[in-house]
Amino acid sequence: MTDPRATLYACDLTGAIWRKASASGAEHDCVEIADNIPALVPVRDSKRPTGPVITFTAYAWRTFIAHLD
């Protein structure tokens, strides 16, 4: 039986346009985000492009970024 809440967390990222963080190092150790997915900000490890993805709501991402300084 499929958990009915799973659809809440599932999203199609096949159209994601990934970009590296502006602070990426010469060794390419950085994160990538896709900012073309409505209402979500997917984040992944640039060294593992087919690996796991963490998704944030747009609000949660803005809040996270605001607290990095």
Side-chain angles (χ1 to χ4, degrees):
M1 176 179 220
T2 302
D3 185 340
R5 295 173 295 174
T7 58
L8 176 65
Y9 302 106
C11 60
D12 181 8
L13 298 177
T14 56
I17 300 172
W18 296 96
R19 66 180 176 89
K20 289 187 179 182
S22 59
S24 65
E27 300 297 318
H28 306 289
D29 296 335
C30 63
V31 297
E32 294 178 321
I33 68 164
D35 52 11
N36 68 314
I37 307 297
L40 289 179
V41 179
V43 180
R44 70 181 184 184
D45 183 342
S46 65
K47 294 181 304 298
R48 297 181 61 199
T50 60
V53 173
I54 298 171
T55 56
F56 294 86
T57 64
Y59 174 78
W61 181 252
R62 284 191 306 270
T63 302
F64 172 71
I65 295 300
H67 289 86
L68 288 179
D69 290 334

